[in-house]
Amino acid sequence: MKLMFAAAIAAVITAVGYPAWAQPAPAPAPSTSPAGKTASEKNAQMALEKAGYTQVTNVKSSPEGVTAKAMKDGKPVSVVVDTTGKIKERPPAP
């Protein structure tokens, strides 16, 4: 009787699976647009253009937010769009 019960339990575990044996799912890849930008980079570029920046290039994620180079009032600027959406200008790099 004990042997039949053990065999039945083993069959159920084999058929149903055991959560401890499950492999973790791979982490999802960051969402990217067809141009290869992440969603946050694309959103930052749209926010910059809406704020009057033109020729927005070099849009990249960084620890402080999304950085980019752009033109504002005919002058080149470096900008950072932080995680709250605030735009900060920096002097252009030489």
Side-chain angles (χ1 to χ4, degrees):
M1 180 82 166
K2 287 182 184 179
L3 185 58
M4 285 180 51
F5 181 72
I9 295 296
V12 168
I13 290 174
T14 302
V16 175
Y18 191 71
W21 295 330
Q23 297 294 318
S31 173
T32 59
S33 68
K37 292 182 183 166
T38 65
S40 61
E41 291 169 346
K42 189 71 172 167
N43 290 340
Q45 182 169 353
M46 288 189 307
L48 289 166
E49 291 169 351
K50 186 176 179 182
Y53 292 89
T54 60
Q55 300 177 26
V56 180
T57 61
N58 295 353
V59 181
K60 299 177 189 171
S61 294
S62 73
E64 58 191 317
V66 177
T67 60
K69 295 183 188 277
M71 296 292 284
K72 179 74 173 198
D73 300 324
K75 298 176 185 171
V77 292
S78 293
V79 292
V80 175
V81 181
D82 68 17
T83 55
T84 65
K86 184 175 179 182
I87 300 170
K88 301 175 189 174
E89 284 190 25
R90 296 181 173 169

